[in-house]
């Protein structure tokens, strides 16, 4: 085994949860490394929701995805964790001394005493529109993410989806678009109640029990064909842009072969964020346990819990949690 620098904790994933966990790891004075598959931090927030307004994080009435990541990145850098980009961790090996060796897809090896998984849903992959030839319109007026809200100003935007993302984008785009239509194959939406109420009270055109079954156009989508689930009746709708929010494909890559207990593509943990493998912890959307809060705010609490468990794994006599930041020397002496 080649010689390499040993870390107390390695956080796999540089999204919101991984960044905040890195900050808290510094609070606990642990030597920390973050490994992110993408070329920058932020995870799916950076790539898919940079302009989405988030309203369910304490003390932040409203913040865009890009601004949230900017602040989390600044916070995470407080204690100068090692940051590695462009590596997907696949393999895990336990050394004779109980430490772990992580091997990335490119052969790079990382040495660590504990691991915290904060990889969200795994490698990012949106669920594409299941229509032959749909990829021809990608990069034109078929979208799976919103880079700039202004690109939709004055347009008829049709949104396909029935979850939080679809509803949130309907509410965000309705004031600036000429028209917003949202299509959902079920009778009821699955987003937050207040967001659904906001949508229903707006000028958004809501079409339930139907789905996008075909796309009409040459260079750009000119019309979509909607098929009604119950009757099979078809309807053509002229649009300027199609936004598809069908969720993400779960792909844990090589991590699913580590031997951890999983359920429905997620890692099972206890209340301490411990997985079934000693020294391996998890937080955020990769995790499942009874009554989990599926919000960023919930994940931001799970990260420190996982880190505290890692600290206890390394030092059973350590305090259960870090001192409050207002008492930490890094900030008192600042």
């Amino acid at each position: 085994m080649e010689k390499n620098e040993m870390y107390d904790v390695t956080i796999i994933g540089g999204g919101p949860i991984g960044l905040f966990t890195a900050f808290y790891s510094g609070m606990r004075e642990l030597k920390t490394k973050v490994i992110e598959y993408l070329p920058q931090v932020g995870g799916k927030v950076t790539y898919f929701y940079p302009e989405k307004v988030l309203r369910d994080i304490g003390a932040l009435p409203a913040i865009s995805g890009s601004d949230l990541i900017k602040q989390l990145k600044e916070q995470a850098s407080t204690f100068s964790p090692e940051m590695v980009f462009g590596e997907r961790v696949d393999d895990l090996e336990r050394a004779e001394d109980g430490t772990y060796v992580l091997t990335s897809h490119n052969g790079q090896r990382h040495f660590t005493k504990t691991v915290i998984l904060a990889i969200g849903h795994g490698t990012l992959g949106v669920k594409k529109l299941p229509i032959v030839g749909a990829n021809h319109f990608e990069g034109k007026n078929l979208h799976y993410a919103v880079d700039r809200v202004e690109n939709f100003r004055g347009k008829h935007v049709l949104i396909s989806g029935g979850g939080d993302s679809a509803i949130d984008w309907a509410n965000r785009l309705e004031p600036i678009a000429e028209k917003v239509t949202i299509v959902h194959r079920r009778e009821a939406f699955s987003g937050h109640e207040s967001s659904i109420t906001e949508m229903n009270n707006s000028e958004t055109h809501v079409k339930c029990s139907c789905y996008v079954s075909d796309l009409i156009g040459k260079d750009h989508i000119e019309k979509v064909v909607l098929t009604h689930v119950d009757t099979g009746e078809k309807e053509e709708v002229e649009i300027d842009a199609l936004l598809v929010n069908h969720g993400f494909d779960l792909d844990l890559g090589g991590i699913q072969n580590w031997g951890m207990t999983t359920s429905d593509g997620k890692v099972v943990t206890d209340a301490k964020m411990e997985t079934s493998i000693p020294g391996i912890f998890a937080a955020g959307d990769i995790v499942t346990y009874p009554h989990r809060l599926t919000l960023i705010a919930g994940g931001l609490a799970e990260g420190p819990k996982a880190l505290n468990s890692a600290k206890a794994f390394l030092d059973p006599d350590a305090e259960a949690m870090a001192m409050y930041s207002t008492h930490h020397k890094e900030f008192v002496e600042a």
Side-chain angles (χ1 to χ4, degrees), residues 67-121:
D67 284 343
L68 174 68
I69 297 303
K70 179 181 179 181
Q71 294 189 30
L72 283 167
K73 180 180 179 181
E74 179 181 351
Q75 186 179 42
S77 68
T78 302
F79 298 98
S80 303
E82 178 72 14
M83 302 289 292
V84 177
F85 297 102
E87 291 192 26
R88 184 190 66 238
V89 176
D90 285 334
D91 297 326
L92 173 76
E93 175 188 353
R94 193 165 193 180
E96 293 182 359
D97 62 359
T99 61
Y100 289 102
V101 183
L102 302 171
T103 304
S104 298
H105 74 290
N106 58 4
Q108 291 296 315
R109 288 156 65 88
H110 305 271
F111 297 77
T112 187
K113 298 175 183 177
T114 64
V115 177
I116 296 179
L117 297 173
I119 61 175
H121 296 297

Side-chain angles (χ1 to χ4, degrees), residues 44-52 64-67 146-147 169:
K44 71 177 183 181
V45 175
T46 293
Y47 276 76
F48 296 107
Y49 309 128
E51 293 197 23
K52 181 178 179 180
S64 69
S66 59
D67 284 343
V146 176
D147 294 326
W169 281 124

